[in-house]
Amino acid sequence: MAVVRELAEGLLLSLGYCVVYLLVWHLSVDQWYLPAGLRAASLLFMPYRRWPFLLAGDAAAMLWLRIPMLETRDYAPMWAYLSPFLLAPAVALAVSAIRRHTPNVTTRNAILPLMALLALWSTLCGMALNATLGGPVASSPMEILLRTWLGSYLGILMFLLPGLLWYRRKESDPRSNLVRDSTLAGLAMAALFCTANVVPEPLLRQVLMVSLVGPAIILTLRYGWRGAAVGALLANLIAALSRSKYGIAAYDPELFSVQLLIAVIATGLFVLGSQLASVYAQAGNHGQVQLEALQFAQAGYLAAERTLRNRVVDYSDINVHINRLRKECVAQLRERGHHAAAMELTRAGVIESQLLHEYVAGLYPLEIETHGVYQALRSPALARFYDTEIHHALRGNCGNLSLGLQLAAYRCVLNAFEMLPQARRHLVQARAWKGRNAQGVVIRIFADSSLLDVVHRDAPEASNELRTRLKAHGGIFRRRHALVLSFLVAEQASVTSSV
């Protein structure tokens, strides 16, 4: 069954190839020969096991076209019956050599120069078969060689470039605007084409036709080889549609120079676009490395916060155990009638618990996990720790922010207090925000200079720590005044983290 299925698929492939060959042949001229492109692209992209069916379809199409010519033209029967079985295998040998000596040829920058050489080989093989088997002989071989070579190469571009775009479609960015920009480029080329058709001056018309490569250049600079492929394809197609003569032997000398220039520029743009694509890829990899480094830094900060949290929990457990032992001692003292000592021990325990609570709050604010960073900023322990009076103006909902970002904002506030002048009163303004793809919080801290005991201080370690933490959390830092410090921390809107 597998053999029968393979044979059936091959016969359908041969039939489809033959039909498409005949169709594009009727749309071709010597300087825009589409069958050469169909043959080259099929051999390049199809696996070797499909080649016999491709060659059979190619031979059938050429026999269909050449046998009727024996009745109207003085050609040798050997040319009509034998050349269809020789031309395609000769081209297949060249394609096989390219695929064998150039692995992954479809991803190489030099694929278009190789296709130009393949077009030259195909043209030379066709002319040699015509001369040896009694086919059509050109009166000016060099002119026919150049014309047919260009036509074969442009025909290859018409099939190869769409094939490359499809074959390498997984490499493209799904967020790319290539389709939109290609549509705009096509409209611009169509406008140039319509303008060229109504211009009576031949030189100006050629200039307008050559300017078709302008949108292709823009696409190349924006999208690399993909933009070059789309731009070259559109320019090639529009230039071919502008021909004034039709028929397989028709020749438009005015269009020939334009097509020659388009072919050269398209090849150069594709090579340039391939280089640009590799540069863009390297830049993207560099950006990915930077992103991973930032994520690693954030993970390091979270690990440090997790360690502090564990220590705070341990201290709290120890405090609970000490309070339990103290209560037992107080109870024993009261049983023995030492009420004054019991009261003194209770008072000392309260003071000790309060001091431990303030110390623990300085290490890690546990309330930030349940009530957010705003509650941690309102904590009286923070004001007592810096011996200042803190006023607040907090807006927005900080509950949407990840815990890691809230902890980063809290640590940045502590660094800011160390960097600002020592004052009796500070004002903390904060606003939580959320955009389409990002969210964060903006915090501004003022040191009140109305009091006389403002002490300026230098804290390079706090400044370096603040800048490093902000860089790791997508933040910015601004200090335009000695008494005011502002910063922002941000993250992607979908980020959630826990300690």
Side-chain angles (χ1 to χ4, degrees):
M1 289 298 295
V3 176
V4 175
R5 181 179 179 180
E6 185 76 15
L7 182 60
E9 292 178 354
L11 293 176
L12 289 176
L13 177 62
S14 297
L15 179 60
Y17 181 93
C18 180
V19 172
V20 175
Y21 188 105
L22 296 174
L23 178 63
V24 298
W25 184 86
H26 288 286
L27 300 175
S28 301
V29 293
D30 284 348
Q31 61 198 72
W32 197 61
Y33 193 62
L34 296 178
L38 176 64
R39 181 186 298 121
S42 300
L43 293 172
L44 190 64
F45 290 108
M46 284 288 181
Y48 287 112
R49 70 177 187 276
R50 302 290 189 185
W51 278 23
F53 302 104
L54 292 176
L55 297 179
D58 192 280
M62 293 184 69
L63 287 172
W64 181 277
L65 294 172
R66 293 190 174 185
I67 290 177
M69 294 182 183
L70 297 177
E71 300 177 0
T72 58
R73 301 179 185 180
D74 189 18
Y75 296 151
M78 184 179 295
W79 170 80
Y81 288 101
L82 185 58
S83 62
F85 296 97
L86 298 178
L87 179 58
V91 177
L93 288 176
V95 175
S96 177
I98 292 175
R99 293 177 61 170
R100 185 171 59 255
H101 295 288
T102 311
N104 300 323
V105 63
T106 55
T107 61
R108 296 299 181 93
N109 299 345
I111 184 172
L112 288 196
L114 289 175
M115 292 301 103
L117 295 177
L118 179 63
L120 177 60
W121 169 256
S122 176
T123 302
L124 292 175
C125 290
M127 295 181 66
L129 290 175
N130 291 342
T132 56
L133 299 180
V137 179
S139 57
S140 54
M142 291 305 299
E143 179 183 350
I144 296 299
L145 172 63
L146 184 59
R147 185 196 310 175
T148 310
W149 180 17
L150 175 64
S152 298
Y153 181 58
L154 293 179
I156 290 175
L157 293 184
M158 289 302 299
F159 286 92
L160 177 68
L161 296 179
L164 286 177
L165 290 172
W166 175 258
Y167 185 79
R168 300 172 63 179
R169 63 189 183 279
K170 294 182 180 180
E171 302 176 12
S172 61
D173 186 0
R175 298 170 296 179
S176 174
N177 295 322
L178 178 60
V179 176
R180 182 200 64 187
D181 293 344
S182 299
T183 303
L184 296 177
L187 294 176
M189 291 182 182
L192 291 173
F193 167 70
C194 295
T195 305
N197 284 337
V198 298
V199 171
E201 183 65 29
L203 180 59
L204 182 57
R205 185 164 55 250
Q206 285 188 339
V207 171
L208 289 174
M209 293 301 297
V210 171
S211 62
L212 291 174
V213 300
I217 294 175
I218 296 175
L219 289 176
T220 302
L221 296 177
R222 285 183 59 86
Y223 300 102
W225 73 266
R226 289 180 182 82
V230 175
L233 186 66
L234 293 174
N236 187 11
L237 179 61
I238 293 178
L241 294 177
S242 66
R243 66 182 187 266
S244 58
K245 298 180 181 180
Y246 294 85
I248 195 62
Y251 175 60
D252 189 341
E254 181 180 332
L255 181 61
F256 179 80
S257 58
V258 175
Q259 288 182 310
L260 181 61
L261 187 59
I262 288 177
V264 174
I265 294 178
T267 305
L269 286 179
F270 189 88
V271 175
L272 174 63
S274 299
Q275 296 292 339
L276 290 177
S278 62
V279 172
Y280 294 158
Q282 292 177 0
N285 293 335
H286 181 67
Q288 183 66 26
V289 170
Q290 287 185 333
L291 179 60
E292 292 178 356
L294 292 179
Q295 292 175 348
F296 181 77
Q298 293 175 9
Y301 282 121
L302 281 176
E305 296 289 353
R306 189 180 300 112
T307 301
L308 291 175
R309 183 185 186 278
N310 293 336
R311 296 297 176 269
V312 167
V313 172
D314 293 339
Y315 290 153
S316 299
D317 293 340
I318 293 174
N319 187 38
V320 171
H321 184 66
I322 292 176
N323 288 336
R324 186 181 299 113
L325 294 177
R326 184 183 295 109
K327 288 181 180 180
E328 294 177 358
C329 293
V330 169
Q332 291 179 3
L333 289 174
R334 287 177 177 174
E335 289 177 358
R336 297 176 183 179
H338 303 292
H339 296 283
M343 289 293 295
E344 184 65 23
L345 185 60
T346 301
R347 188 180 69 85
V350 171
I351 296 175
E352 181 182 346
S353 297
Q354 184 178 0
L355 292 175
L356 182 61
H357 175 72
E358 293 180 359
Y359 173 75
V360 165
L363 286 179
Y364 182 86
L366 289 173
E367 63 269 19
I368 200 173
E369 299 180 4
T370 55
H371 298 87
V373 66
Y374 285 176
Q375 183 63 31
L377 295 178
R378 294 190 184 99
S379 174
L382 181 63
R384 287 194 296 268
F385 187 80
Y386 288 101
D387 192 20
T388 183
E389 179 184 351
I390 301 178
H391 296 268
H392 306 89
L394 311 177
R395 294 182 297 169
N397 181 17
C398 64
N400 296 326
L401 306 178
S402 67
L403 180 58
L405 190 71
Q406 294 188 61
L407 286 169
Y410 179 78
R411 298 300 179 187
C412 290
V413 169
L414 300 186
N415 295 139
F417 275 116
E418 296 178 8
M419 295 171 58
L420 289 172
Q422 187 175 359
R424 292 286 185 87
R425 186 166 56 198
H426 290 82
L427 172 63
V428 177
Q429 293 181 345
R431 181 175 63 86
W433 57 273
K434 184 175 182 180
R436 178 179 299 178
N437 298 319
Q439 60 185 7
V441 60
V442 181
I443 298 179
R444 178 177 297 176
I445 303 176
F446 299 83
D448 192 350
S449 61
S450 61
L451 302 179
L452 297 179
D453 54 348
V454 174
V455 179
H456 295 274
R457 51 187 175 181
D458 186 18
E461 295 182 358
S463 177
N464 294 334
E465 184 178 348
L466 174 63
R467 295 177 187 275
T468 304
R469 195 182 299 272
L470 288 176
K471 185 176 182 180
H473 291 84
I476 56 175
F477 163 74
R478 179 176 298 174
R479 187 175 187 180
R480 294 182 176 179
H481 193 276
L483 302 178
V484 182
L485 191 149
S486 306
F487 64 87
L488 175 146
V489 287
E491 64 184 357
Q492 293 183 356
S494 59
V495 172
T496 57
S497 63
S498 59
V499 176

